[in-house]
């Protein structure tokens, strides 16, 4: 058994609380939140010990592990307090806002020898795990093109003043939505060398982005990221990955994986040349407790098992999440570059007044005149 505490009782925090409290190897020793009436209800109907002060909970409840599900801008300070006490940490994504802090916290966790994990649940979806398995087996060969997508109906009107509507607190489509497909890309392809063409678009929101587009550059190809959380056509969040390689193509979402393999491909066991389809249901073990999706239970179970065995290296640890934090920062910085765009001829600017790169391109197209 391991003693676990939970801080942050929003949507994800309550979900984690429900699952972890039902885990057969966990003893829930405390929950923490700033909302008094919520704590009163939990104390009355569950008997769990509640706290408003995070540090007090760590010092009094003395958990062996803590689940942090607070707004992103609060992560770094809470993680630091837990790590200094040698407490294992599961933190909701993204890890932190400043990638320099990601590196610092990764180093501190390694120094303390504790288990860390970040809540990128898609890595525990059967279809997305199968993609990783096929790539590692060399089924596609060298991947040259990738498309990562995420769509959902989160912001469909002028948004309010929650932390998700403020960039400084970790709000916006880039941090909250695009982070998921970006994390899958870094899992499959590693960290890109650079990004370009990044666009953060506000649709309904006044201060943050509702849509994201960017190109990630790798040594042997490119990947496109497109995310939009103002897509009313989606009933809930939908994440998709498509990869093209020298030996075929893979498409995956939460429900299934579609694989096309050329006859030049090294064919993995259970696959044939041509089209193959496998479903998440056949690639996923039933969890001890189901809520929202098997992957949410699976990621918490992985954390608990690693914490019990003190296995500091594992899926979704701080080191891997730090790579995603770095890519998010790259996209954010690229989107505000003054020289990031070339003006088209249709924009109505006279050729002589165009930026140097455009003028040179027109000169070449006109035969050097």
């Amino acid at each position: 058994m391991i003693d676990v505490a939970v801080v942050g009782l929003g949507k994800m925090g309550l979900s984690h609380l429900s699952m972890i409290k039902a885990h057969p190897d966990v003893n829930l020793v405390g929950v923490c939140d700033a909302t008094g009436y919520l704590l009163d209800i939990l104390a009355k109907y569950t008997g769990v010990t509640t706290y408003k002060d995070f540090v007090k909970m760590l010092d009094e409840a003395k958990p062996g592990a803590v689940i942090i599900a607070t707004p992103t801008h609060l992560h770094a300070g809470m993680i630091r307090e837990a790590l200094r006490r040698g407490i294992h940490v599961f933190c909701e994504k993204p890890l932190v806002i400043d990638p320099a802090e990601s590196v610092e916290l990764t180093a501190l966790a390694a120094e303390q020898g504790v288990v860390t994990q970040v809540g990128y649940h898609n890595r525990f979806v059967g279809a997305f795990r199968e993609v990783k398995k096929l790539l590692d087996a060399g089924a596609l060969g060298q991947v040259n093109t990738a498309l990562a997508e995420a769509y959902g109906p989160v912001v469909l009107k002028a948004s309010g003043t929650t932390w998700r509507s403020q960039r400084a607190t970790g709000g916006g489509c880039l941090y909250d939505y695009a982070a998921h497909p970006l994390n899958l890309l870094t899992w499959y392809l590693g960290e890109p060398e650079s990004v370009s063409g990044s666009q953060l678009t506000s649709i309904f929101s006044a201060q943050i982005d509702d849509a994201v587009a960017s190109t990630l550059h790798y040594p042997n190809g490119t990947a496109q990221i497109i995310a939009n959380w103002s897509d009313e056509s989606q009933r809930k969040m939908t994440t998709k990955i498509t990869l093209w390689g020298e030996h075929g193509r893979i498409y995956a979402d939460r429900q299934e994986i579609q694989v096309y393999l050329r006859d030049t491909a090294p064919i993995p066991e259970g696959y044939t040349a041509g089209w193959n389809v496998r479903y998440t249901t056949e690639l996923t073990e039933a969890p001890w407790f189901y809520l929202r999706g098997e992957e949410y239970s699976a990621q918490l179970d992985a954390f608990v098992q690693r914490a019990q065995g003190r296995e500091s290296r594992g899926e979704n640890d701080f080191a891997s999440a730090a790579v995603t934090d770095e890519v998010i920062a790259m996209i954010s910085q690229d989107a505000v570059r003054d020289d990031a765009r070339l003006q088209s001829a249709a924009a109505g600017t006279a050729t002589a007044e165009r930026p140097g790169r455009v003028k040179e391109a027109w000169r070449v197209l006109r035969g050097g005149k």
Side-chain angles (χ1 to χ4, degrees), residues 103 117 122 134 138 142 145 148 151 159 185 190 204-205 208-209 221 224 228 240 252 282 302 320 324 332-333 359 361:
V103 175
Q117 191 171 317
N122 282 312
L134 291 172
Q142 180 64 57
T145 310
Y151 309 105
S159 56
L185 283 178
F204 297 104
S205 302
I208 46 91
D209 49 287
Q224 302 284 330
N228 186 320
K240 308 175 184 180
E282 64 182 285
S320 67
T324 303
S332 183
Q333 293 166 14
K359 289 167 61 178

Side-chain angles (χ1 to χ4, degrees), residues 153-217:
V154 176
V155 179
L156 300 177
K157 60 182 179 180
S159 56
T161 57
T162 70
W163 70 269
R164 293 183 187 276
S165 63
Q166 308 294 320
R167 186 177 301 281
T169 55
C173 185
L174 175 59
Y175 282 105
D176 202 45
Y177 247 52
H180 282 294
L182 283 173
N183 184 259
L184 288 175
L185 283 178
T186 59
W187 192 30
Y188 298 148
L189 305 179
E191 183 174 1
E193 295 180 324
S194 61
V195 304
S196 68
S198 303
Q199 180 72 40
L200 303 182
T201 303
S202 295
I203 300 172
F204 297 104
S205 302
Q207 301 182 47
I208 46 91
D209 49 287
D210 298 318
V212 178
S214 184
T215 300
L216 284 61
H217 300 272

Side-chain angles (χ1 to χ4, degrees), residues 296-334:
Y296 292 97
S297 297
Q299 68 172 351
L300 285 180
D301 184 57
F303 174 66
V304 169
Q305 300 308 321
R306 287 176 54 219
Q308 287 185 312
R310 298 194 69 87
E311 300 171 15
S312 57
R313 296 291 297 275
E315 198 67 77
N316 281 357
D317 59 14
F318 280 7
S320 67
V323 176
T324 303
D325 283 354
E326 176 63 27
V327 179
I328 290 173
M330 291 166 67
I331 292 173
S332 183
Q333 293 166 14
D334 180 59

Side-chain angles (χ1 to χ4, degrees), residues 35-366:
T35 308
Y37 76 86
L38 184 56
L39 296 179
D40 291 342
I41 291 172
L42 283 172
K44 179 178 180 180
Y45 292 103
T46 70
V48 67
T49 304
T50 61
Y51 298 86
K52 279 193 173 183
D53 186 296
F54 177 67
V55 172
K56 182 179 180 181
M57 180 178 72
L58 297 184
D59 291 339
E60 290 189 0
K62 299 187 183 303
V66 63
I67 296 173
I68 298 175
T70 57
T72 307
H73 69 290
L74 300 176
H75 288 177
M78 290 182 168
I79 291 170
R80 202 173 283 113
E81 291 288 351
L83 294 182
R84 286 171 178 167
R85 291 166 172 79
I87 297 172
H88 306 302
V89 177
F90 178 100
C91 182
E92 257 309 315
K93 62 82 201 164
L95 181 53
V96 294
I97 296 174
D98 182 355
E101 286 190 307
S102 300
V103 175
E104 174 209 337
L105 295 172
T106 299
L108 179 57
E111 178 184 316
Q112 294 290 84
V114 300
V115 172
T116 62
Q117 191 171 317
V118 179
Y120 284 110
H121 61 272
N122 282 312
R123 291 198 186 193
F124 291 88
V125 171
F128 292 135
R129 293 178 75 84
E130 188 71 3
V131 173
K132 177 64 172 172
K133 176 182 173 182
L134 291 172
L135 292 177
D136 289 347
L140 280 193
Q142 180 64 57
V143 175
N144 50 59
T145 310
L147 173 62
E149 306 167 83
Y151 309 105
V154 176
V155 179
L156 300 177
K157 60 182 179 180
S159 56
T161 57
T162 70
W163 70 269
R164 293 183 187 276
S165 63
Q166 308 294 320
R167 186 177 301 281
T169 55
C173 185
L174 175 59
Y175 282 105
D176 202 45
Y177 247 52
H180 282 294
L182 283 173
N183 184 259
L184 288 175
L185 283 178
T186 59
W187 192 30
Y188 298 148
L189 305 179
E191 183 174 1
E193 295 180 324
S194 61
V195 304
S196 68
S198 303
Q199 180 72 40
L200 303 182
T201 303
S202 295
I203 300 172
F204 297 104
S205 302
Q207 301 182 47
I208 46 91
D209 49 287
D210 298 318
V212 178
S214 184
T215 300
L216 284 61
H217 300 272
Y218 291 89
N220 298 293
T222 59
Q224 302 284 330
I225 172 72
I226 301 175
N228 186 320
W229 71 0
S230 296
D231 184 352
E232 192 174 4
S233 70
Q234 304 293 326
R235 185 176 67 84
K236 60 181 181 178
M237 185 179 188
T238 300
T239 302
K240 308 175 184 180
I241 291 286
T242 310
L243 302 164
W244 290 265
E246 57 185 322
H247 297 311
R249 170 185 182 268
I250 294 175
Y251 166 85
D253 57 24
R254 190 188 177 281
Q255 284 73 41
E256 65 182 19
I257 177 173
Q258 303 172 10
V259 183
Y260 179 82
L261 297 174
R262 300 176 62 189
D263 54 13
T264 59
I267 308 298
E269 183 179 354
Y271 288 83
T272 61
W275 281 106
N276 303 262
V277 179
R278 300 190 70 182
Y279 299 98
T280 289
T281 49
E282 64 182 285
L283 298 169
T284 305
E285 294 183 6
W288 85 93
F289 187 88
Y290 182 93
L291 181 68
R292 304 186 68 195
E294 297 92 343
E295 62 271 23
Y296 292 97
S297 297
Q299 68 172 351
L300 285 180
D301 184 57
F303 174 66
V304 169
Q305 300 308 321
R306 287 176 54 219
Q308 287 185 312
R310 298 194 69 87
E311 300 171 15
S312 57
R313 296 291 297 275
E315 198 67 77
N316 281 357
D317 59 14
F318 280 7
S320 67
V323 176
T324 303
D325 283 354
E326 176 63 27
V327 179
I328 290 173
M330 291 166 67
I331 292 173
S332 183
Q333 293 166 14
D334 180 59
V336 296
R337 281 176 48 207
D338 290 337
D339 64 341
R341 300 181 187 178
L342 297 176
Q343 191 171 9
S344 70
T349 304
T351 303
E353 297 174 351
R354 292 194 181 99
R357 287 180 293 172
V358 179
K359 289 167 61 178
E360 177 62 17
W362 273 80
R363 187 188 68 80
V364 172
L365 287 170
R366 290 175 174 175

